[in-house]
Amino acid sequence: SPFPPPSSFPPPSSFTPPSPFPPPSPSLPTAPNASISQPPPSTSVAAGPAPDLKSTTHALSTRVCGPPAVDGYVHVDPKCLQESPTALWWMNYYARGGKQGALKAHIEPAADYDGLAVYWGINNTKASAEDCAKQCLEHMPNRNGGGPFDKLPCNAFAWCPDAVCFEPDAHSHHKGDCWLKFTEAPAAPEVNMRGDLPEDYRRRHPNAPVRVQWVSGVLLPEGVQLTNGTFGPRWKW
């Protein structure tokens, strides 16, 4: 694999991992920053004072709209997401002149992070996880032809490295598919799958691989650390 495993540290006590796995760490490879020349999207959010690291970390670790996959995404409320601490932090960041391309991409191999698609992944083919991260770094809200989540920024992504990548859903996922997503609390992402899949999961899904194929990541401002996050509802699908 082109992605060296990150250093190991114990996962948080909020969940029990299915097997030992390399959780994300600040030493994960990162995609190169991509500068963007476009002005920030129009927004009604007035530029507030720059938040300190503690308040930024809190905003990007807080989830108020609930796990999106809890009922198969039926209940998801775009307005709630637009008013979430995560989205409001992004809008304030843009209003203060912050650039999407100045954020830092954290990449984790053998992991699938949940989120709402701000750019559809099927047939959005990229050569590498870094290229997928770069597209997220260049993506801006309100410029993608509509859709329920068009007003949300890209702060998470998932890339398929194999000929076919397993997901417990109705879609077919193929090599190079790059999904751009918005997630609340990107510093503590909801994880669909990670590392080696246990036997009970593979009994539920006979087509599942022994190890997760996807490569996922999030965008965070400098100084905000990526944590292990928690397993989301899709882990129980």
Side-chain angles (χ1 to χ4, degrees), residues 88-131:
L88 291 178
W89 181 90
W90 242 267
M91 292 303 104
N92 187 44
Y93 174 73
Y94 291 149
R96 289 185 290 105
K99 302 296 185 183
Q100 178 80 355
L103 300 169
K104 184 177 181 181
H106 300 258
I107 297 176
E108 182 183 1
D112 177 30
Y113 295 172
D114 202 14
L116 290 311
V118 297
Y119 198 92
W120 201 248
I122 294 173
N123 297 323
N124 180 37
T125 304
K126 300 299 174 185
S128 67
E130 286 87 355
D131 285 346

Short mmCIF file of all heavy atoms in Angstrom, two decimals, residues 88-131:
data_model
loop_
_atom_site.label_atom_id
_atom_site.label_comp_id
_atom_site.label_asym_id
_atom_site.label_seq_id
_atom_site.Cartn_x
_atom_site.Cartn_y
_atom_site.Cartn_z
N LEU A 88 -21.11 26.28 11.13
CA LEU A 88 -20.97 27.69 11.48
C LEU A 88 -19.49 28.06 11.64
O LEU A 88 -19.09 29.18 11.29
CB LEU A 88 -21.75 27.99 12.77
CG LEU A 88 -23.27 27.92 12.64
CD1 LEU A 88 -23.94 28.18 13.99
CD2 LEU A 88 -23.79 28.89 11.58
N TRP A 89 -18.68 27.13 12.15
CA TRP A 89 -17.24 27.42 12.22
C TRP A 89 -16.70 27.65 10.81
O TRP A 89 -15.94 28.60 10.58
CB TRP A 89 -16.47 26.27 12.89
CG TRP A 89 -15.00 26.59 12.97
CD1 TRP A 89 -14.36 27.23 14.00
CD2 TRP A 89 -14.01 26.37 11.96
NE1 TRP A 89 -13.03 27.41 13.69
CE2 TRP A 89 -12.79 26.89 12.44
CE3 TRP A 89 -14.03 25.77 10.70
CZ2 TRP A 89 -11.60 26.83 11.70
CZ3 TRP A 89 -12.85 25.72 9.97
CH2 TRP A 89 -11.64 26.24 10.47
N TRP A 90 -17.10 26.79 9.86
CA TRP A 90 -16.60 26.94 8.48
C TRP A 90 -17.04 28.26 7.87
O TRP A 90 -16.25 28.94 7.21
CB TRP A 90 -17.09 25.77 7.63
CG TRP A 90 -15.96 24.92 7.09
CD1 TRP A 90 -15.32 25.06 5.90
CD2 TRP A 90 -15.34 23.81 7.75
NE1 TRP A 90 -14.33 24.09 5.77
CE2 TRP A 90 -14.33 23.31 6.89
CE3 TRP A 90 -15.53 23.17 8.97
CZ2 TRP A 90 -13.53 22.23 7.21
CZ3 TRP A 90 -14.73 22.09 9.30
CH2 TRP A 90 -13.75 21.63 8.42
N MET A 91 -18.31 28.64 8.07
CA MET A 91 -18.80 29.87 7.49
C MET A 91 -18.08 31.09 8.09
O MET A 91 -17.74 32.05 7.38
CB MET A 91 -20.31 30.00 7.71
CG MET A 91 -21.16 28.98 6.93
SD MET A 91 -20.89 29.01 5.13
CE MET A 91 -19.87 27.53 4.91
N ASN A 92 -17.82 31.05 9.40
CA ASN A 92 -17.07 32.13 10.03
C ASN A 92 -15.63 32.16 9.51
O ASN A 92 -15.06 33.23 9.29
CB ASN A 92 -17.10 31.98 11.55
CG ASN A 92 -16.48 33.17 12.26
OD1 ASN A 92 -16.74 34.32 11.91
ND2 ASN A 92 -15.66 32.90 13.26
N TYR A 93 -15.07 30.98 9.30
CA TYR A 93 -13.71 30.87 8.75
C TYR A 93 -13.64 31.52 7.37
O TYR A 93 -12.73 32.31 7.08
CB TYR A 93 -13.33 29.38 8.69
CG TYR A 93 -12.02 29.07 8.02
CD1 TYR A 93 -10.81 29.35 8.65
CD2 TYR A 93 -12.00 28.43 6.78
CE1 TYR A 93 -9.60 29.03 8.04
CE2 TYR A 93 -10.80 28.10 6.16
CZ TYR A 93 -9.60 28.40 6.80
OH TYR A 93 -8.42 28.08 6.20
N TYR A 94 -14.61 31.22 6.51
CA TYR A 94 -14.65 31.85 5.19
C TYR A 94 -14.83 33.36 5.31
O TYR A 94 -14.18 34.14 4.61
CB TYR A 94 -15.79 31.29 4.35
CG TYR A 94 -15.67 29.85 3.91
CD1 TYR A 94 -16.80 29.06 3.74
CD2 TYR A 94 -14.43 29.27 3.64
CE1 TYR A 94 -16.71 27.74 3.31
CE2 TYR A 94 -14.33 27.95 3.22
CZ TYR A 94 -15.47 27.18 3.06
OH TYR A 94 -15.38 25.89 2.63
N ALA A 95 -15.75 33.78 6.19
CA ALA A 95 -16.05 35.21 6.33
C ALA A 95 -14.84 36.00 6.81
O ALA A 95 -14.70 37.19 6.50
CB ALA A 95 -17.23 35.40 7.29
N ARG A 96 -13.97 35.34 7.57
CA ARG A 96 -12.75 35.99 8.03
C ARG A 96 -11.62 35.91 7.00
O ARG A 96 -10.49 36.33 7.27
CB ARG A 96 -12.29 35.36 9.35
CG ARG A 96 -13.17 35.69 10.54
CD ARG A 96 -12.61 35.14 11.85
NE ARG A 96 -12.70 33.69 11.92
CZ ARG A 96 -11.67 32.86 11.78
NH1 ARG A 96 -10.47 33.32 11.51
NH2 ARG A 96 -11.85 31.55 11.88
N GLY A 97 -11.92 35.37 5.82
CA GLY A 97 -10.91 35.28 4.77
C GLY A 97 -10.15 33.98 4.75
O GLY A 97 -9.18 33.84 3.99
N GLY A 98 -10.57 33.02 5.55
CA GLY A 98 -9.89 31.72 5.56
C GLY A 98 -10.09 30.98 4.24
O GLY A 98 -11.14 31.07 3.62
N LYS A 99 -9.08 30.26 3.83
CA LYS A 99 -9.09 29.54 2.57
C LYS A 99 -9.26 28.04 2.81
O LYS A 99 -8.58 27.45 3.66
CB LYS A 99 -7.79 29.77 1.79
CG LYS A 99 -7.50 31.24 1.48
CD LYS A 99 -8.56 31.83 0.56
CE LYS A 99 -8.21 33.26 0.15
NZ LYS A 99 -9.26 33.86 -0.69
N GLN A 100 -10.16 27.43 2.05
CA GLN A 100 -10.37 25.98 2.13
C GLN A 100 -9.05 25.25 1.91
O GLN A 100 -8.73 24.28 2.59
CB GLN A 100 -11.41 25.56 1.08
CG GLN A 100 -11.70 24.08 1.01
CD GLN A 100 -12.67 23.58 2.07
OE1 GLN A 100 -13.07 24.33 2.96
NE2 GLN A 100 -13.04 22.32 2.00
N GLY A 101 -8.26 25.71 0.95
CA GLY A 101 -7.01 25.03 0.63
C GLY A 101 -5.94 25.16 1.68
O GLY A 101 -4.91 24.48 1.59
N ALA A 102 -6.14 26.02 2.69
CA ALA A 102 -5.15 26.16 3.75
C ALA A 102 -5.36 25.16 4.89
O ALA A 102 -4.54 25.08 5.80
CB ALA A 102 -5.19 27.58 4.31
N LEU A 103 -6.46 24.41 4.83
CA LEU A 103 -6.73 23.40 5.86
C LEU A 103 -5.80 22.20 5.65
O LEU A 103 -5.20 22.02 4.60
CB LEU A 103 -8.19 22.97 5.80
CG LEU A 103 -9.20 24.09 6.03
CD1 LEU A 103 -10.61 23.64 5.68
CD2 LEU A 103 -9.14 24.58 7.48
N LYS A 104 -5.70 21.38 6.67
CA LYS A 104 -4.81 20.22 6.63
C LYS A 104 -5.62 18.95 6.44
O LYS A 104 -6.60 18.71 7.14
CB LYS A 104 -4.01 20.13 7.94
CG LYS A 104 -2.98 19.02 7.96
CD LYS A 104 -2.19 19.04 9.26
CE LYS A 104 -1.14 17.95 9.28
NZ LYS A 104 -0.37 17.96 10.55
N ALA A 105 -5.20 18.13 5.48
CA ALA A 105 -5.87 16.86 5.21
C ALA A 105 -5.20 15.75 6.01
O ALA A 105 -3.99 15.56 5.93
CB ALA A 105 -5.82 16.54 3.72
N HIS A 106 -6.00 15.03 6.79
CA HIS A 106 -5.53 13.86 7.54
C HIS A 106 -6.09 12.62 6.85
O HIS A 106 -7.30 12.53 6.62
CB HIS A 106 -6.03 13.91 8.98
CG HIS A 106 -5.57 15.10 9.75
ND1 HIS A 106 -4.55 15.06 10.68
CD2 HIS A 106 -6.00 16.40 9.72
CE1 HIS A 106 -4.37 16.26 11.19
NE2 HIS A 106 -5.24 17.09 10.64
N ILE A 107 -5.25 11.66 6.55
CA ILE A 107 -5.66 10.48 5.78
C ILE A 107 -5.43 9.22 6.60
O ILE A 107 -4.36 9.05 7.19
CB ILE A 107 -4.88 10.39 4.44
CG1 ILE A 107 -5.19 11.61 3.57
CG2 ILE A 107 -5.22 9.11 3.70
CD1 ILE A 107 -4.41 11.66 2.27
N GLU A 108 -6.44 8.35 6.64
CA GLU A 108 -6.32 7.08 7.36
C GLU A 108 -6.61 5.91 6.41
O GLU A 108 -7.72 5.79 5.89
CB GLU A 108 -7.30 7.01 8.54
CG GLU A 108 -7.14 5.70 9.32
CD GLU A 108 -8.15 5.55 10.46
OE1 GLU A 108 -8.99 6.44 10.65
OE2 GLU A 108 -8.08 4.51 11.15
N PRO A 109 -5.64 5.02 6.18
CA PRO A 109 -5.89 3.83 5.38
C PRO A 109 -6.81 2.85 6.12
O PRO A 109 -6.94 2.89 7.34
CB PRO A 109 -4.49 3.21 5.20
CG PRO A 109 -3.52 4.22 5.70
CD PRO A 109 -4.25 5.10 6.66
N ALA A 110 -7.44 1.98 5.34
CA ALA A 110 -8.30 0.91 5.89
C ALA A 110 -9.36 1.48 6.83
O ALA A 110 -9.57 0.99 7.94
CB ALA A 110 -7.46 -0.15 6.61
N ALA A 111 -10.02 2.55 6.38
CA ALA A 111 -11.08 3.17 7.19
C ALA A 111 -12.11 3.79 6.26
O ALA A 111 -11.79 4.26 5.17
CB ALA A 111 -10.50 4.23 8.11
N ASP A 112 -13.35 3.79 6.72
CA ASP A 112 -14.46 4.38 5.97
C ASP A 112 -15.19 5.32 6.91
O ASP A 112 -15.83 4.88 7.87
CB ASP A 112 -15.37 3.26 5.46
CG ASP A 112 -16.59 3.80 4.73
OD1 ASP A 112 -16.49 4.87 4.12
OD2 ASP A 112 -17.65 3.13 4.76
N TYR A 113 -15.09 6.64 6.67
CA TYR A 113 -15.76 7.64 7.49
C TYR A 113 -17.13 7.96 6.90
O TYR A 113 -17.30 8.06 5.70
CB TYR A 113 -14.95 8.94 7.54
CG TYR A 113 -13.61 8.86 8.22
CD1 TYR A 113 -12.73 9.94 8.17
CD2 TYR A 113 -13.18 7.72 8.91
CE1 TYR A 113 -11.49 9.90 8.79
CE2 TYR A 113 -11.95 7.66 9.52
CZ TYR A 113 -11.09 8.76 9.46
OH TYR A 113 -9.86 8.73 10.06
N ASP A 114 -18.10 8.18 7.79
CA ASP A 114 -19.44 8.53 7.35
C ASP A 114 -19.52 10.03 7.06
O ASP A 114 -18.64 10.81 7.42
CB ASP A 114 -20.47 8.16 8.42
CG ASP A 114 -21.86 8.00 7.86
OD1 ASP A 114 -22.01 7.92 6.62
OD2 ASP A 114 -22.83 7.97 8.65
N GLY A 115 -20.60 10.43 6.40
CA GLY A 115 -20.83 11.83 6.07
C GLY A 115 -21.89 11.94 4.99
O GLY A 115 -22.32 10.94 4.42
N LEU A 116 -22.32 13.17 4.72
CA LEU A 116 -23.31 13.44 3.68
C LEU A 116 -22.57 13.90 2.44
O LEU A 116 -21.69 14.77 2.51
CB LEU A 116 -24.29 14.52 4.13
CG LEU A 116 -25.28 14.16 5.24
CD1 LEU A 116 -25.98 12.83 4.97
CD2 LEU A 116 -24.65 14.16 6.61
N ALA A 117 -22.93 13.34 1.28
CA ALA A 117 -22.21 13.63 0.04
C ALA A 117 -22.47 15.05 -0.42
O ALA A 117 -23.61 15.42 -0.73
CB ALA A 117 -22.59 12.64 -1.04
N VAL A 118 -21.41 15.86 -0.49
CA VAL A 118 -21.51 17.18 -1.11
C VAL A 118 -21.05 17.11 -2.56
O VAL A 118 -21.26 18.05 -3.33
CB VAL A 118 -20.69 18.24 -0.33
CG1 VAL A 118 -21.24 18.41 1.07
CG2 VAL A 118 -19.21 17.88 -0.28
N TYR A 119 -20.42 16.00 -2.93
CA TYR A 119 -20.07 15.73 -4.33
C TYR A 119 -20.09 14.21 -4.50
O TYR A 119 -19.37 13.50 -3.81
CB TYR A 119 -18.70 16.30 -4.70
CG TYR A 119 -18.48 16.45 -6.19
CD1 TYR A 119 -18.80 17.64 -6.84
CD2 TYR A 119 -17.98 15.39 -6.96
CE1 TYR A 119 -18.61 17.79 -8.21
CE2 TYR A 119 -17.80 15.52 -8.32
CZ TYR A 119 -18.11 16.73 -8.95
OH TYR A 119 -17.93 16.87 -10.29
N TRP A 120 -20.94 13.75 -5.42
CA TRP A 120 -21.19 12.32 -5.58
C TRP A 120 -19.91 11.59 -6.01
O TRP A 120 -19.17 12.06 -6.87
CB TRP A 120 -22.29 12.13 -6.62
CG TRP A 120 -23.00 10.82 -6.56
CD1 TRP A 120 -22.96 9.82 -7.48
CD2 TRP A 120 -23.88 10.37 -5.52
NE1 TRP A 120 -23.76 8.77 -7.08
CE2 TRP A 120 -24.35 9.08 -5.88
CE3 TRP A 120 -24.33 10.94 -4.33
CZ2 TRP A 120 -25.22 8.35 -5.09
CZ3 TRP A 120 -25.21 10.21 -3.53
CH2 TRP A 120 -25.64 8.94 -3.92
N GLY A 121 -19.67 10.42 -5.39
CA GLY A 121 -18.41 9.72 -5.62
C GLY A 121 -18.39 8.78 -6.80
O GLY A 121 -17.32 8.51 -7.36
N ILE A 122 -19.54 8.23 -7.18
CA ILE A 122 -19.56 7.27 -8.28
C ILE A 122 -19.20 8.00 -9.57
O ILE A 122 -19.79 9.01 -9.92
CB ILE A 122 -20.93 6.59 -8.37
CG1 ILE A 122 -21.17 5.73 -7.12
CG2 ILE A 122 -21.04 5.74 -9.63
CD1 ILE A 122 -22.54 5.14 -7.02
N ASN A 123 -18.19 7.48 -10.25
CA ASN A 123 -17.63 8.05 -11.48
C ASN A 123 -16.85 9.34 -11.26
O ASN A 123 -16.39 9.95 -12.23
CB ASN A 123 -18.71 8.27 -12.54
CG ASN A 123 -19.37 6.96 -12.98
OD1 ASN A 123 -18.69 5.93 -13.10
ND2 ASN A 123 -20.67 7.00 -13.21
N ASN A 124 -16.67 9.75 -10.02
CA ASN A 124 -15.76 10.87 -9.72
C ASN A 124 -14.41 10.24 -9.39
O ASN A 124 -14.06 10.02 -8.24
CB ASN A 124 -16.28 11.69 -8.55
CG ASN A 124 -15.36 12.86 -8.22
OD1 ASN A 124 -14.79 13.49 -9.10
ND2 ASN A 124 -15.21 13.14 -6.93
N THR A 125 -13.66 9.93 -10.42
CA THR A 125 -12.48 9.08 -10.29
C THR A 125 -11.22 9.90 -10.04
O THR A 125 -10.94 10.86 -10.77
CB THR A 125 -12.29 8.24 -11.57
OG1 THR A 125 -13.50 7.49 -11.80
CG2 THR A 125 -11.12 7.28 -11.42
N LYS A 126 -10.48 9.48 -9.02
CA LYS A 126 -9.19 10.10 -8.70
C LYS A 126 -8.12 9.02 -8.61
O LYS A 126 -8.40 7.87 -8.27
CB LYS A 126 -9.27 10.87 -7.38
CG LYS A 126 -10.30 11.99 -7.37
CD LYS A 126 -9.99 13.05 -8.43
CE LYS A 126 -11.08 14.09 -8.52
NZ LYS A 126 -10.86 15.06 -9.61
N ALA A 127 -6.88 9.39 -8.90
CA ALA A 127 -5.80 8.42 -8.97
C ALA A 127 -5.29 7.99 -7.61
O ALA A 127 -4.67 6.93 -7.48
CB ALA A 127 -4.64 8.99 -9.80
N SER A 128 -5.53 8.79 -6.59
CA SER A 128 -4.99 8.48 -5.27
C SER A 128 -5.85 9.14 -4.19
O SER A 128 -6.66 10.04 -4.47
CB SER A 128 -3.55 8.99 -5.15
OG SER A 128 -3.53 10.41 -5.17
N ALA A 129 -5.62 8.71 -2.95
CA ALA A 129 -6.31 9.35 -1.84
C ALA A 129 -5.89 10.80 -1.70
O ALA A 129 -6.71 11.66 -1.34
CB ALA A 129 -6.02 8.59 -0.55
N GLU A 130 -4.62 11.09 -2.00
CA GLU A 130 -4.17 12.48 -1.95
C GLU A 130 -4.89 13.35 -2.98
O GLU A 130 -5.23 14.50 -2.71
CB GLU A 130 -2.66 12.55 -2.17
CG GLU A 130 -1.84 12.09 -0.98
CD GLU A 130 -1.60 10.58 -0.97
OE1 GLU A 130 -2.16 9.87 -1.84
OE2 GLU A 130 -0.86 10.10 -0.10
N ASP A 131 -5.13 12.79 -4.16
CA ASP A 131 -5.89 13.54 -5.17
C ASP A 131 -7.33 13.77 -4.74
O ASP A 131 -7.92 14.81 -5.03
CB ASP A 131 -5.86 12.80 -6.51
CG ASP A 131 -4.52 12.91 -7.22
OD1 ASP A 131 -3.71 13.77 -6.82
OD2 ASP A 131 -4.28 12.13 -8.16
#
